[in-house]
Amino acid sequence: MTLSLQDCRALDAQDPLRDLRDQFKLPAGVIYLDGNSLGVLPRTTAARVAQAVTDEWGEGLIRSWNSAGWFDLPQRLGDKIAPLIGAAPGEVVATDSTSINLYKVLSAALSMAAVDAPTRRVLVSERSNFPTDLYVAEALCRERGLRLHLVEPGDITAALTPDVAVLMLTHVNYRTGAMHDMPSITAAAHAAGALAVWDLAHSAGAVPVDLHGAQADFAVGCGYKYLNGGPGAPAFVWAHPRHADRKDPDIWQPLAGWWGHAAPFAFTPDYRPAAGITRYLCGTQPILSMVALECG
Ligand SMILES: *Cc1c(COP(=O)(O)O)cnc(C)c1O
């Protein structure tokens, strides 16, 4: 069957998602297929960011941390991202970059394995994973004296031997578009005694994701691709509640900072992690970028 441009336009006209297209601003005549790298500009973003600068910063000044809701933006945005990835309210925060969030969750997962199963000394990932994920994993393995085992996509379950601590994968491959079966691979990792860390950079906002359905352990994802948050937008992080509240200081995420403290304005000299995913925050967040991400 051949499909003409006219046929495509006719089908577009019947598309139930058609109205959503009008919420985004593209130069006339551009058909944009690069949302996997930089999502398009929502129509509301420019005015909302201008208002945050002029009113909230310019007029509200320091009061805006509370009166404009700046301080709670990581949790508020996390709650908006949660339904896109099969997470519950209160389980996600928007913060930092994908690379940095991956460092936090991978480090926490490796620390959990070191406490719970110290004979497990291997981190498995896919050779064709996005390079920053592999570099973060390489550096962590070097620091902890672990082995990074990179395999082809078809060899993942076979690589889940009894010495594996963590399996780290990207759900949808950035180059091929191939999508892993998250529930079955996570189940295989758990059956082998390993934790499963998922990068959702190319799935959140693009395809259905169900972290709870898959019983995943940790996840991170990107704000400037399919979430249309703008260049360098904050990323997000999720930990399954069975992990997020663990008390042992040996398994804290490594970037302990005051925004992740149980009582940030008590200004105590010692760290006490906040409940749940809030402990995965580190320090002060880029509020103007957060405001833009909320429009996306
Ligand atoms: C785009 C992408 C990143 C980007 O990480 P940054 O910290 O935002 O540079 C990370 N991982 C994957 C799998 C990606 O596709």
Side-chain angles (χ1 to χ4, degrees):
M1 172 181 145
T2 51
L3 205 59
S4 69
L5 180 60
Q6 205 177 354
D7 295 332
C8 293
R9 289 194 167 127
L11 288 168
D12 275 354
Q14 305 163 19
D15 190 331
L17 299 178
R18 190 183 157 69
D19 287 347
L20 295 177
R21 168 66 183 76
D22 298 329
Q23 294 181 23
F24 297 90
K25 199 167 155 48
L26 274 172
V30 169
I31 296 171
Y32 191 68
L33 300 175
D34 287 324
N36 62 308
S37 185
L38 179 64
V40 293
L41 172 64
R43 287 193 185 275
T44 53
T45 305
R48 175 66 186 101
V49 172
Q51 186 220 358
V53 170
T54 309
D55 299 347
E56 295 176 11
W57 178 15
E59 298 292 328
L61 289 164
I62 197 172
R63 288 170 303 193
S64 287
W65 285 105
N66 296 312
S67 62
W70 288 352
F71 195 71
D72 299 327
L73 269 169
Q75 288 85 354
R76 196 163 82 230
L77 290 181
D79 283 350
K80 291 187 171 182
I81 294 167
L84 300 177
I85 59 173
E91 291 181 0
V92 181
V93 282
T95 184
D96 299 333
S97 69
T98 306
S99 304
I100 291 171
N101 289 333
L102 187 66
Y103 178 81
K104 296 178 210 167
V105 297
L106 203 50
S107 185
L110 291 169
S111 296
M112 281 178 201
V115 168
D116 299 337
T119 56
R120 295 177 173 271
R121 311 285 303 158
V122 177
L123 167 57
V124 172
S125 192
E126 193 184 325
R127 190 177 304 283
S128 58
N129 202 341
F130 190 77
T132 203
D133 298 47
L134 298 180
Y135 303 160
V136 167
E138 186 181 341
L140 272 168
C141 285
R142 192 175 282 279
E143 181 185 303
R144 291 163 175 256
L146 305 175
R147 186 165 70 89
L148 178 60
H149 184 203
L150 300 183
V151 298
E152 303 306 318
D155 301 331
I156 291 166
T157 45
L160 295 170
T161 48
D163 53 356
V164 175
V166 174
L167 172 66
M168 175 194 82
L169 290 175
T170 296
H171 184 208
V172 171
N173 186 279
Y174 77 106
R175 214 190 314 237
T176 64
M179 182 160 67
H180 285 301
D181 181 340
M182 189 188 287
S184 74
I185 292 182
T186 301
H190 290 171
L195 295 166
V197 174
W198 289 95
D199 188 328
L200 307 176
H202 294 275
S203 17
V207 294
V209 180
D210 188 358
L211 290 170
H212 274 289
Q215 284 291 308
D217 294 291
F218 295 94
V220 299
C222 185
Y224 54 79
K225 294 170 181 166
Y226 294 108
L227 300 187
N228 305 295
F236 64 87
V237 56
W238 173 82
H240 193 284
R242 69 178 170 261
H243 302 311
D245 271 328
R246 284 189 61 173
K247 300 247 177 326
D248 187 340
D250 289 338
I251 55 170
W252 285 346
Q253 66 94 355
L255 301 181
W258 75 298
W259 277 45
H261 195 280
F265 294 101
F267 299 113
T268 60
D270 59 317
Y271 180 69
R272 200 156 41 87
I277 197 66
T278 294
R279 72 185 53 185
Y280 280 79
L281 299 177
C282 184
T284 306
Q285 291 303 302
I287 297 303
L288 299 178
S289 295
M290 291 263 173
V291 161
L293 175 60
E294 190 161 31
C295 296

